[in-house]
Amino acid sequence: SIKSDVQKVHLEETEKPLEMIQRNGENLLQLVNQMLDLAKLESGNMELHLEQADVIPFVKYLGESFQSLAEQKEINLTVYAEIDQLVMDFDGEKLSVIISNLLSNAVKFTPRGGKIIAHLNKAVNKNNEY
């Protein structure tokens, strides 16, 4: 690859821009894949790969991955659960994309010194739990 060839020559001034190009390319690929997933969802062709598990530690784990980004902006990020456990069917990959997008946007648009709270709870509406 171009990156490995450049590293062999030790052109340090080009290493960071090449890393940025690679990272931006990966981000662009991820966005294209998300757009394709959205098109599948809208056409009714998206498959869910449901697993039954406790969603609380899953969401807390995702929240932890945004802690350092929030700290860089001096933002207090808290993932708070009023319940100890919520076992449910969910597609981990798709839920991860949703939660990551929400937290990423929250950090991006929260001003320095702000606060983000992801509050997890269970609600009952017409005898159905959510």
Side-chain angles (χ1 to χ4, degrees):
S1 76
I2 295 172
K3 185 177 175 184
S4 61
D5 292 344
V6 169
Q7 286 176 339
K8 289 176 187 173
V9 181
H10 299 293
L11 298 175
E12 292 180 14
E13 61 273 0
T14 61
E15 189 171 335
K16 285 187 181 181
L18 286 174
E19 287 176 1
M20 185 179 296
I21 290 169
Q22 181 178 358
R23 190 169 52 244
N24 288 343
E26 290 168 357
N27 289 341
L28 184 59
L29 178 61
Q30 185 178 15
L31 287 172
V32 168
N33 286 333
Q34 287 176 7
M35 288 173 61
L36 291 171
D37 284 346
L38 183 58
K40 286 180 189 174
L41 179 64
E42 289 175 344
S43 68
N45 293 323
M46 177 173 275
E47 287 186 38
L48 290 176
H49 302 286
L50 298 176
E51 293 184 27
Q52 191 171 76
D54 186 359
V55 74
I56 301 294
F58 182 81
V59 174
K60 285 184 175 182
Y61 173 79
L62 291 172
E64 288 173 4
S65 65
F66 286 88
Q67 284 294 342
S68 62
L69 183 62
E71 288 172 4
Q72 288 175 4
K73 286 186 66 179
E74 299 173 11
I75 294 172
N76 182 0
L77 171 61
T78 304
V79 177
Y80 171 70
E82 281 192 36
I83 52 179
D84 294 329
Q85 183 180 31
L86 181 56
V87 175
M88 59 182 275
D89 294 334
F90 64 95
D91 184 321
E93 185 177 318
K94 290 173 182 62
L95 184 60
S96 177
V97 169
I98 293 166
I99 299 295
S100 295
N101 283 338
L102 287 171
L103 293 176
S104 176
N105 284 330
V107 171
K108 183 177 180 179
F109 294 109
T110 298
R112 183 171 294 281
K115 188 181 292 188
I116 299 168
I117 300 173
H119 185 183
L120 307 172
N121 200 2
K122 181 170 48 174
V124 178
N125 184 9
K126 297 179 184 175
N127 297 328
N128 292 318
E129 292 183 347
Y130 300 94

